[in-house]
Structure formats: structure tokens, C-alpha cells
Amino acid sequence: MRRFGGGTASLDDLIGCWSRSSGRDLSGWAQEWLRTEGESTLRASVEAGADGTLASLAVEQDEPRTHRVGIGLYDRPGPGSALRRRR
């Protein structure tokens, strides 16, 4: 507020403040998420082994942007229930 009080701030000013406050350079994040149009769609690419178990799993995206994604493996012990095996 002291720096821009009574005036206007640009997006670069805001990102600069966030970068100084966080101690990280957020200009790349801003380019990917704030200055790029469209949405990024994530899809799971799954391959089953010969025995029917999971052989491979990859997350693919159509518009490359940095994501942090947690993936969990679940068992279904019965109808309407799920038990997380691994994250």
C-alpha cells in the first residue's frame, strides 16, 4: 500500500511484489498462468499389464504449464468405497 498508495500498479508491479515477498521469481509462473490464454487439460494415460494390473501411468497435458499434481492409487474393497493404497 505504501509503494502504490494513491496511484495505480501494473501487473508487473504486482508480480514483482509477490516475488519479493515470497523470495521466488514468479515471472515464469505469471507468463504461464496469467498472460497465456486458454486452459490446460490434464489426462491420464494408463496401460494395463498382461495380468490386468497397472503397468504404467502418465499424466499428459495439451497446453504445457507447470503443475503440481498428487496422484493416488486406490483399491475398491466393495461397492461405493475406495481405500487409498499409495500416494
Side-chain angles (χ1 to χ4, degrees), residues 3-86:
R3 186 174 201 168
F4 300 104
T8 59
S10 68
L11 180 57
D12 287 332
D13 294 329
L14 180 61
I15 294 164
C17 288
W18 288 344
S19 293
R20 284 187 295 282
S21 179
S22 69
R24 299 171 64 187
D25 179 9
L26 298 176
S27 58
W29 170 84
Q31 182 61 40
E32 289 181 347
W33 287 100
L34 302 180
R35 293 189 170 104
T36 303
E37 293 182 14
E39 57 191 38
S40 184
T41 302
L42 302 176
R43 290 183 185 85
S45 176
V46 180
E47 291 184 26
D51 61 355
T53 60
L54 181 66
S56 72
L57 171 72
V59 177
E60 301 170 346
Q61 59 179 319
D62 57 354
E63 294 290 330
R65 293 181 182 163
T66 303
H67 289 276
R68 178 173 281 173
V69 178
I71 298 174
L73 297 176
Y74 292 82
D75 290 323
R76 294 183 121 186
S81 64
L83 178 64
R84 187 169 74 194
R85 182 186 338 167
R86 199 167 62 183

